[in-house]
Amino acid sequence: MSKTAAIVGAGIAGIAAAIRLAVKGYRVDAFEANAYPGGKLSGFSLDGFRFDAGPSLFTMPQLVEDLFRLADRNPNDYFEYRRLNETCRYFWDDHTYLTAWADRDAFAREVESQLGEPADHLLAHLADSAAKYHITEKLFLHRSLHKLATWFNRDALYGYLNLPKLEVFKTMNRANEQRFQNPKLVQLFNRYATYNGSDPYQTPATMNIIPHLEYNIGAFFPKEGMIGITNNLVRLAEELGVRFHFNTRVTELVTEGERIVGVRTENESKPKPYDVVISNMDVVNTFRRLLPNARQPERILRQPKSSSGLIFYWGIRREFPELGLHNIFFSSDYRAEFDHIFNRKTLSDDPTVYLNITSKHKPDDAPPGCENWFILINAPNNTGQDWDALIAKTRQNVIQKLSQNLGVDIAPLIACEAILDPIQIENRTSSSQGALYGNSSNNRFAAFLRHANFSHQFRNLYFVGGSVHPGGGIPLCLLSAKIATDLL
Ligand code: FAD
């Protein structure tokens, strides 16, 4: 008889783990508290506009394709995407403007003409980013850091020999200041710390690995929008026999000695036994809520969390040809902005505004002549701030900043609005403090302070998702599912 597996949560990592287990022959039940799959990677419609609720940048599509191939399917039969020829448009309040082209040489020329920064500085930075990636890739991204075998092989040896190149003892900001003359380019590359919810003035320069994904491997757009990733993986999972149970919150993992012997849900009083349990619930809340009587790995659970986000979804009754799919309007004092987020735990009056408009590539996401604006402001994680006041203040600041930059009053153009704040993020996905990426990576040992993909206490319990190794963001979540299921 086939073995059985329960997945707690149908976020992207839970779905990927379900697919991998089904391919291994397990009978899989995926329990999801919400009425829909995908967790943060979900979407919704409002007054004729469609919005992706969370992630907007798609990198490393091969990790999605791997799941189809693993199941002997042709990814093209399910899922289409294309490479972007520009990764982002950057705007500063002094009207400096820059397009980050996917073509590295074109980007380097743009940097030289717009910012006066020698093109070879940019090319050297991207080469360094690639080198960092190749040193860490096999060691950190594809394996559990918590197994001895990871540390005794050729990849590890390569890592030890090249350790200085990772620049663990320098901050990202310091490394970028040493690389670039123009503070605007320092700011642009400091921005990559936010891709895992960290502070460029604290996180180690090792995180300069991140631009490699966007510039050297590429940024992509799924034909159906980001929600297409979730929908097509769910379709694949269902074809493989995975049973999704929506509106079904797991309330307890029943333990006996070194095993999980039952999964209790809010819909059934009697716990159901499974051979294997994989939690896609944030690891802090897996322990605090589902395993309150187990030994709590306090050192890991109490690590400072990543930043969160404040998101405005606006249906806009006008088109802006000067905007692209991804746009950034930088704050004039980046250091002060991060000081507000990570030290003062509040929002500055001049936040950097990220504006994503999928209707640029998928016109049916907005009515004719309109655009669907997804605006993300990096925000502190939830520590009990007065969010209503912060949202009201920030909404005004964002309108003012965009109006000034675009030369038109934005407020009367907002046809409809939805808002997502750190409290809602926490409520909708059980992410501790509404953090977008689990623990922050502000500490140089952060990689070692994420929970392993397996339990040290319960032999049949595994962990996947943005709160555990190797980290947050779609690619790393997909890799967490690979690492966890490879350990079985
Ligand atoms: P989550 O998405 O956190 O989902 C967990 C699921 O488990 C939820 O559906 C929840 O309801 C369910 N669950 C929890 N507890 C239980 C329980 N007890 N019982 C049943 N179900 C339960 N990443 C990128 O790669 N690119 C981006 O551009 C990007 N931008 C982002 C922007 C925003 C606004 C946000 C919020 C995130 C962004 N991210 C981005 C991060 C990315 O979305 C996440 O890292 C990733 O989606 C997390 O996936 P996950 O598998 O950890 O699960």
Side-chain angles (χ1 to χ4, degrees):
M1 217 168 88
S2 11
K3 288 192 173 180
T4 57
I7 313 274
V8 184
I12 191 65
I15 299 167
I19 290 169
R20 287 180 176 277
L21 287 182
V23 169
K24 279 178 187 269
Y26 281 76
R27 280 199 299 127
V28 186
D29 282 319
F31 298 102
E32 170 53 55
N34 292 322
Y36 54 87
K40 298 182 181 79
L41 187 47
S42 53
F44 66 97
S45 293
L46 183 68
D47 296 349
F49 294 85
R50 190 200 70 83
F51 296 95
D52 287 314
S56 54
L57 177 68
F58 183 34
T59 53
M60 303 189 81
Q62 70 276 16
L63 296 176
V64 175
E65 292 201 343
D66 284 351
L67 294 168
F68 292 103
R69 291 211 184 86
L70 197 68
D72 271 337
R73 307 290 207 277
N74 180 352
N76 301 334
D77 293 342
Y78 292 77
F79 182 60
E80 281 180 51
Y81 62 89
R82 62 190 171 85
R83 187 167 180 176
L84 300 172
N85 64 8
E86 61 174 55
T87 59
C88 191
R89 296 186 188 182
Y90 289 97
F91 301 82
W92 283 267
D93 285 351
D94 64 3
H95 297 293
T96 305
Y97 166 77
L98 182 97
T99 301
W101 300 104
D103 179 294
R104 268 175 290 177
D105 292 324
F107 184 28
R109 282 196 300 276
E110 174 93 358
V111 158
E112 199 161 87
S113 71
Q114 299 300 96
L115 302 180
E117 184 82 36
D120 59 332
H121 290 185
L122 181 94
L123 295 173
H125 194 65
L126 296 183
D128 174 67
S129 184
K132 285 186 164 66
Y133 181 82
H134 294 307
I135 296 164
T136 50
E137 180 196 9
K138 294 203 180 88
L139 203 54
F140 284 81
L141 302 184
H142 292 268
R143 294 203 176 113
S144 171
L145 286 186
H146 306 81
K147 294 281 180 191
L148 271 183
T150 301
W151 302 101
F152 296 99
N153 58 59
R154 277 172 54 186
D155 296 329
L157 185 63
Y158 180 70
Y160 302 141
L161 293 175
N162 287 286
L163 213 53
K165 288 192 190 149
L166 294 181
E167 300 184 291
V168 282
F169 295 107
K170 205 186 267 181
T171 66
M172 173 187 264
N173 174 65
R174 184 80 194 106
N176 292 344
E177 278 181 343
Q178 288 174 337
R179 172 85 63 192
F180 300 117
Q181 298 163 359
N182 190 316
K184 288 191 168 74
L185 205 54
V186 174
Q187 185 175 29
L188 192 155
F189 279 100
N190 278 354
R191 179 185 161 237
Y192 287 92
T194 67
Y195 281 34
N196 66 11
S198 303
D199 174 352
Y201 303 93
Q202 296 184 51
T203 199
T206 317
M207 291 301 154
N208 275 332
I209 190 177
I210 298 172
H212 174 70
L213 304 187
E214 201 168 300
Y215 295 104
N216 297 327
I217 301 180
F220 300 83
F221 182 76
K223 191 177 160 206
E224 301 160 52
M226 297 299 282
I227 189 66
I229 303 172
T230 297
N231 288 346
N232 288 299
L233 289 180
V234 167
R235 188 178 139 206
L236 172 65
E238 284 178 335
E239 282 176 16
L240 296 172
V242 174
R243 291 177 301 185
F244 286 93
H245 306 271
F246 295 110
N247 296 309
T248 307
R249 184 178 296 280
V250 172
T251 51
E252 186 188 357
L253 298 180
V254 182
T255 65
E256 215 177 273
E258 292 183 344
R259 291 189 72 80
I260 306 291
V261 291
V263 173
R264 195 191 301 276
T265 68
E266 60 188 352
N267 299 349
E268 306 236 3
S269 54
K270 204 164 166 269
K272 208 172 155 196
Y274 288 92
D275 294 309
V276 168
V277 176
I278 296 194
S279 180
N280 180 211
M281 185 184 194
D282 182 295
V283 68
V284 175
N285 287 323
T286 301
F287 276 97
R288 302 287 192 231
R289 296 187 199 164
L290 307 188
L291 291 163
N293 300 321
R295 182 165 39 83
Q296 308 281 303
E298 291 298 342
R299 184 150 171 262
I300 287 175
L301 302 188
R302 288 186 188 199
Q303 284 302 308
K305 298 288 164 276
S306 81
S307 55
S308 184
L310 175 57
I311 300 101
F312 298 96
Y313 310 89
W314 289 341
I316 294 284
R317 5 175 138 80
R318 217 195 98 163
E319 288 178 298
F320 288 82
E322 63 270 54
L323 298 175
L325 173 67
H326 301 289
N327 310 274
I328 286 283
F329 296 83
F330 271 123
S331 62
S332 49
D333 188 344
Y334 218 34
R335 192 182 279 275
E337 184 180 351
F338 283 93
D339 181 47
H340 277 74
I341 297 171
F342 286 97
N343 301 324
R344 300 196 220 172
K345 296 281 183 188
T346 187
L347 282 158
S348 88
D349 281 336
D350 178 22
T352 294
V353 176
Y354 166 68
L355 169 54
N356 173 253
I357 311 172
T358 60
S359 62
K360 296 282 183 194
H361 286 263
K362 192 172 169 297
D364 62 351
D365 279 354
C370 300
E371 293 180 343
N372 63 338
W373 284 17
F374 164 104
I375 290 171
L376 168 66
I377 307 299
N378 292 310
N381 52 49
N382 180 32
T383 51
Q385 295 91 333
D386 179 351
W387 284 107
D388 288 342
L390 280 177
I391 291 168
K393 178 186 87 154
T394 304
R395 187 179 186 278
Q396 275 319 107
N397 290 332
V398 170
I399 288 175
Q400 196 187 351
K401 189 172 185 76
L402 291 178
S403 300
Q404 263 170 15
N405 270 276
L406 296 170
V408 51
D409 187 5
I410 296 299
L413 300 177
I414 303 173
C416 60
E417 176 180 64
I419 297 174
L420 184 67
D421 64 31
I423 295 181
Q424 288 166 295
I425 292 171
E426 186 166 6
N427 290 342
R428 285 185 197 174
T429 60
S430 294
S431 302
S432 178
Q433 297 179 242
L436 300 192
Y437 303 94
N439 292 347
S440 88
S441 297
N442 288 340
N443 176 322
R444 74 174 68 102
F445 302 110
F448 301 94
L449 294 167
R450 279 185 179 270
H451 200 284
N453 301 102
F454 61 94
S455 166
H456 297 277
Q457 294 175 65
F458 303 106
R459 278 197 261 160
N460 58 341
L461 176 61
Y462 296 82
F463 301 94
V464 296
S467 69
V468 295
H469 178 73
I474 298 166
L476 299 193
C477 287
L478 291 172
L479 286 169
S480 73
K482 178 175 186 300
I483 297 170
T485 53
D486 281 353
L487 288 170
L488 278 172

mmCIF file of all heavy atoms in Angstrom, residues 11-39:
data_model
loop_
_atom_site.group_PDB
_atom_site.id
_atom_site.type_symbol
_atom_site.label_atom_id
_atom_site.label_comp_id
_atom_site.label_asym_id
_atom_site.label_seq_id
_atom_site.Cartn_x
_atom_site.Cartn_y
_atom_site.Cartn_z
ATOM 1 N N GLY A 11 0.770 26.865 0.299
ATOM 2 C CA GLY A 11 1.588 27.927 -0.294
ATOM 3 C C GLY A 11 2.402 27.284 -1.417
ATOM 4 O O GLY A 11 2.311 26.071 -1.655
ATOM 5 N N ILE A 12 3.232 28.089 -2.079
ATOM 6 C CA ILE A 12 3.957 27.562 -3.239
ATOM 7 C C ILE A 12 4.867 26.392 -2.833
ATOM 8 O O ILE A 12 4.995 25.405 -3.585
ATOM 9 C CB ILE A 12 4.751 28.694 -3.949
ATOM 10 C CG1 ILE A 12 5.284 28.217 -5.286
ATOM 11 C CG2 ILE A 12 5.850 29.276 -3.100
ATOM 12 C CD1 ILE A 12 4.240 27.889 -6.291
ATOM 13 N N ALA A 13 5.454 26.461 -1.644
ATOM 14 C CA ALA A 13 6.338 25.373 -1.209
ATOM 15 C C ALA A 13 5.533 24.129 -0.861
ATOM 16 O O ALA A 13 5.971 22.998 -1.129
ATOM 17 C CB ALA A 13 7.167 25.820 -0.009
ATOM 18 N N GLY A 14 4.353 24.327 -0.277
ATOM 19 C CA GLY A 14 3.499 23.180 0.060
ATOM 20 C C GLY A 14 3.029 22.471 -1.204
ATOM 21 O O GLY A 14 3.003 21.237 -1.276
ATOM 22 N N ILE A 15 2.665 23.257 -2.217
ATOM 23 C CA ILE A 15 2.204 22.666 -3.482
ATOM 24 C C ILE A 15 3.355 21.891 -4.131
ATOM 25 O O ILE A 15 3.185 20.767 -4.604
ATOM 26 C CB ILE A 15 1.685 23.761 -4.441
ATOM 27 C CG1 ILE A 15 0.503 24.503 -3.814
ATOM 28 C CG2 ILE A 15 1.279 23.161 -5.778
ATOM 29 C CD1 ILE A 15 0.115 25.800 -4.548
ATOM 30 N N ALA A 16 4.550 22.513 -4.130
ATOM 31 C CA ALA A 16 5.715 21.844 -4.740
ATOM 32 C C ALA A 16 6.052 20.553 -3.995
ATOM 33 O O ALA A 16 6.367 19.531 -4.620
ATOM 34 C CB ALA A 16 6.919 22.787 -4.740
ATOM 35 N N ALA A 17 5.959 20.589 -2.666
ATOM 36 C CA ALA A 17 6.247 19.380 -1.881
ATOM 37 C C ALA A 17 5.202 18.304 -2.186
ATOM 38 O O ALA A 17 5.541 17.112 -2.310
ATOM 39 C CB ALA A 17 6.257 19.718 -0.387
ATOM 40 N N ALA A 18 3.949 18.725 -2.338
ATOM 41 C CA ALA A 18 2.881 17.764 -2.639
ATOM 42 C C ALA A 18 3.162 17.077 -3.978
ATOM 43 O O ALA A 18 3.029 15.849 -4.108
ATOM 44 C CB ALA A 18 1.529 18.491 -2.676
ATOM 45 N N ILE A 19 3.588 17.860 -4.971
ATOM 46 C CA ILE A 19 3.892 17.286 -6.292
ATOM 47 C C ILE A 19 5.041 16.289 -6.172
ATOM 48 O O ILE A 19 4.988 15.167 -6.684
ATOM 49 C CB ILE A 19 4.243 18.414 -7.291
ATOM 50 C CG1 ILE A 19 2.985 19.230 -7.602
ATOM 51 C CG2 ILE A 19 4.870 17.856 -8.566
ATOM 52 C CD1 ILE A 19 3.232 20.519 -8.368
ATOM 53 N N ARG A 20 6.089 16.692 -5.476
ATOM 54 C CA ARG A 20 7.262 15.817 -5.363
ATOM 55 C C ARG A 20 6.920 14.518 -4.638
ATOM 56 O O ARG A 20 7.390 13.441 -5.016
ATOM 57 C CB ARG A 20 8.401 16.556 -4.649
ATOM 58 C CG ARG A 20 9.042 17.608 -5.535
ATOM 59 C CD ARG A 20 10.157 18.362 -4.867
ATOM 60 N NE ARG A 20 10.772 19.284 -5.815
ATOM 61 C CZ ARG A 20 11.712 18.950 -6.693
ATOM 62 N NH1 ARG A 20 12.191 17.716 -6.712
ATOM 63 N NH2 ARG A 20 12.201 19.850 -7.531
ATOM 64 N N LEU A 21 6.069 14.603 -3.600
ATOM 65 C CA LEU A 21 5.692 13.377 -2.886
ATOM 66 C C LEU A 21 4.786 12.497 -3.742
ATOM 67 O O LEU A 21 4.917 11.273 -3.741
ATOM 68 C CB LEU A 21 4.983 13.729 -1.577
ATOM 69 C CG LEU A 21 5.873 14.284 -0.467
ATOM 70 C CD1 LEU A 21 5.053 14.533 0.792
ATOM 71 C CD2 LEU A 21 7.005 13.308 -0.157
ATOM 72 N N ALA A 22 3.867 13.126 -4.481
ATOM 73 C CA ALA A 22 2.979 12.341 -5.344
ATOM 74 C C ALA A 22 3.799 11.587 -6.396
ATOM 75 O O ALA A 22 3.534 10.417 -6.679
ATOM 76 C CB ALA A 22 1.949 13.256 -6.010
ATOM 77 N N VAL A 23 4.828 12.272 -6.930
ATOM 78 C CA VAL A 23 5.700 11.604 -7.922
ATOM 79 C C VAL A 23 6.425 10.422 -7.279
ATOM 80 O O VAL A 23 6.660 9.398 -7.905
ATOM 81 C CB VAL A 23 6.708 12.626 -8.522
ATOM 82 C CG1 VAL A 23 7.785 11.919 -9.326
ATOM 83 C CG2 VAL A 23 5.981 13.640 -9.390
ATOM 84 N N LYS A 24 6.748 10.558 -5.990
ATOM 85 C CA LYS A 24 7.413 9.449 -5.283
ATOM 86 C C LYS A 24 6.439 8.334 -4.931
ATOM 87 O O LYS A 24 6.816 7.352 -4.310
ATOM 88 C CB LYS A 24 8.032 9.969 -3.975
ATOM 89 C CG LYS A 24 9.382 10.659 -4.127
ATOM 90 C CD LYS A 24 9.829 11.143 -2.746
ATOM 91 C CE LYS A 24 11.081 11.995 -2.826
ATOM 92 N NZ LYS A 24 12.307 11.222 -2.694
ATOM 93 N N GLY A 25 5.151 8.541 -5.215
ATOM 94 C CA GLY A 25 4.182 7.475 -4.964
ATOM 95 C C GLY A 25 3.367 7.627 -3.684
ATOM 96 O O GLY A 25 2.607 6.742 -3.317
ATOM 97 N N TYR A 26 3.529 8.736 -3.011
ATOM 98 C CA TYR A 26 2.747 8.962 -1.786
ATOM 99 C C TYR A 26 1.314 9.346 -2.126
ATOM 100 O O TYR A 26 1.051 9.948 -3.171
ATOM 101 C CB TYR A 26 3.346 10.119 -0.973
ATOM 102 C CG TYR A 26 4.555 9.743 -0.164
ATOM 103 C CD1 TYR A 26 5.795 9.568 -0.774
ATOM 104 C CD2 TYR A 26 4.472 9.569 1.216
ATOM 105 C CE1 TYR A 26 6.922 9.226 -0.042
ATOM 106 C CE2 TYR A 26 5.596 9.232 1.960
ATOM 107 C CZ TYR A 26 6.820 9.065 1.321
ATOM 108 O OH TYR A 26 7.927 8.732 2.060
ATOM 109 N N ARG A 27 0.382 8.998 -1.229
ATOM 110 C CA ARG A 27 -0.978 9.542 -1.328
ATOM 111 C C ARG A 27 -0.987 10.807 -0.466
ATOM 112 O O ARG A 27 -0.702 10.753 0.737
ATOM 113 C CB ARG A 27 -2.001 8.535 -0.805
ATOM 114 C CG ARG A 27 -2.311 7.471 -1.876
ATOM 115 C CD ARG A 27 -3.606 6.744 -1.601
ATOM 116 N NE ARG A 27 -3.542 6.041 -0.342
ATOM 117 C CZ ARG A 27 -4.434 6.164 0.639
ATOM 118 N NH1 ARG A 27 -5.462 6.971 0.508
ATOM 119 N NH2 ARG A 27 -4.299 5.491 1.759
ATOM 120 N N VAL A 28 -1.263 11.942 -1.107
ATOM 121 C CA VAL A 28 -1.043 13.230 -0.427
ATOM 122 C C VAL A 28 -2.346 13.976 -0.165
ATOM 123 O O VAL A 28 -3.165 14.161 -1.067
ATOM 124 C CB VAL A 28 -0.114 14.146 -1.285
ATOM 125 C CG1 VAL A 28 0.229 15.422 -0.535
ATOM 126 C CG2 VAL A 28 1.145 13.404 -1.708
ATOM 127 N N ASP A 29 -2.510 14.417 1.083
ATOM 128 C CA ASP A 29 -3.586 15.349 1.434
ATOM 129 C C ASP A 29 -2.940 16.688 1.768
ATOM 130 O O ASP A 29 -2.055 16.747 2.630
ATOM 131 C CB ASP A 29 -4.340 14.870 2.680
ATOM 132 C CG ASP A 29 -5.322 13.755 2.354
ATOM 133 O OD1 ASP A 29 -5.997 13.843 1.320
ATOM 134 O OD2 ASP A 29 -5.394 12.789 3.143
ATOM 135 N N ALA A 30 -3.384 17.761 1.078
ATOM 136 C CA ALA A 30 -2.860 19.108 1.382
ATOM 137 C C ALA A 30 -3.970 19.909 2.055
ATOM 138 O O ALA A 30 -5.033 20.131 1.462
ATOM 139 C CB ALA A 30 -2.392 19.790 0.105
ATOM 140 N N PHE A 31 -3.728 20.311 3.304
ATOM 141 C CA PHE A 31 -4.732 21.056 4.063
ATOM 142 C C PHE A 31 -4.427 22.553 3.993
ATOM 143 O O PHE A 31 -3.302 22.974 4.290
ATOM 144 C CB PHE A 31 -4.732 20.605 5.529
ATOM 145 C CG PHE A 31 -5.092 19.155 5.689
ATOM 146 C CD1 PHE A 31 -4.107 18.203 5.913
ATOM 147 C CD2 PHE A 31 -6.401 18.738 5.579
ATOM 148 C CE1 PHE A 31 -4.422 16.859 6.042
ATOM 149 C CE2 PHE A 31 -6.740 17.400 5.712
ATOM 150 C CZ PHE A 31 -5.741 16.453 5.934
ATOM 151 N N GLU A 32 -5.394 23.334 3.596
ATOM 152 C CA GLU A 32 -5.190 24.773 3.413
ATOM 153 C C GLU A 32 -6.275 25.537 4.167
ATOM 154 O O GLU A 32 -7.468 25.300 3.965
ATOM 155 C CB GLU A 32 -5.196 25.121 1.921
ATOM 156 C CG GLU A 32 -5.234 26.603 1.603
ATOM 157 C CD GLU A 32 -4.159 27.427 2.292
ATOM 158 O OE1 GLU A 32 -2.977 27.120 2.148
ATOM 159 O OE2 GLU A 32 -4.528 28.413 2.996
ATOM 160 N N ALA A 33 -5.840 26.457 5.032
ATOM 161 C CA ALA A 33 -6.794 27.229 5.842
ATOM 162 C C ALA A 33 -7.665 28.146 4.988
ATOM 163 O O ALA A 33 -8.851 28.361 5.283
ATOM 164 C CB ALA A 33 -6.032 28.043 6.886
ATOM 165 N N ASN A 34 -7.076 28.690 3.918
ATOM 166 C CA ASN A 34 -7.843 29.609 3.062
ATOM 167 C C ASN A 34 -8.743 28.834 2.099
ATOM 168 O O ASN A 34 -8.585 27.632 1.911
ATOM 169 C CB ASN A 34 -6.897 30.495 2.247
ATOM 170 C CG ASN A 34 -6.137 31.469 3.128
ATOM 171 O OD1 ASN A 34 -6.684 32.005 4.093
ATOM 172 N ND2 ASN A 34 -4.875 31.692 2.809
ATOM 173 N N ALA A 35 -9.605 29.600 1.417
ATOM 174 C CA ALA A 35 -10.490 28.991 0.411
ATOM 175 C C ALA A 35 -9.763 28.814 -0.919
ATOM 176 O O ALA A 35 -10.329 28.262 -1.857
ATOM 177 C CB ALA A 35 -11.718 29.877 0.219
ATOM 178 N N TYR A 36 -8.523 29.289 -0.996
ATOM 179 C CA TYR A 36 -7.775 29.284 -2.263
ATOM 180 C C TYR A 36 -6.334 28.820 -2.004
ATOM 181 O O TYR A 36 -5.834 28.919 -0.878
ATOM 182 C CB TYR A 36 -7.771 30.703 -2.861
ATOM 183 C CG TYR A 36 -7.255 31.742 -1.888
ATOM 184 C CD1 TYR A 36 -5.900 32.007 -1.787
ATOM 185 C CD2 TYR A 36 -8.130 32.429 -1.034
ATOM 186 C CE1 TYR A 36 -5.425 32.926 -0.871
ATOM 187 C CE2 TYR A 36 -7.661 33.358 -0.118
ATOM 188 C CZ TYR A 36 -6.303 33.599 -0.044
ATOM 189 O OH TYR A 36 -5.835 34.503 0.882
ATOM 190 N N PRO A 37 -5.662 28.324 -3.063
ATOM 191 C CA PRO A 37 -4.263 27.908 -2.882
ATOM 192 C C PRO A 37 -3.292 29.074 -3.085
ATOM 193 O O PRO A 37 -3.679 30.147 -3.535
ATOM 194 C CB PRO A 37 -4.086 26.888 -4.019
ATOM 195 C CG PRO A 37 -4.986 27.393 -5.107
ATOM 196 C CD PRO A 37 -6.162 28.048 -4.423
ATOM 197 N N GLY A 38 -2.020 28.840 -2.785
ATOM 198 C CA GLY A 38 -0.963 29.794 -3.161
ATOM 199 C C GLY A 38 -0.482 30.670 -2.030
ATOM 200 O O GLY A 38 0.598 31.241 -2.128
ATOM 201 N N GLY A 39 -1.259 30.827 -0.950
ATOM 202 C CA GLY A 39 -0.838 31.711 0.149
ATOM 203 C C GLY A 39 -0.530 33.096 -0.382
ATOM 204 O O GLY A 39 -1.386 33.752 -0.982
#
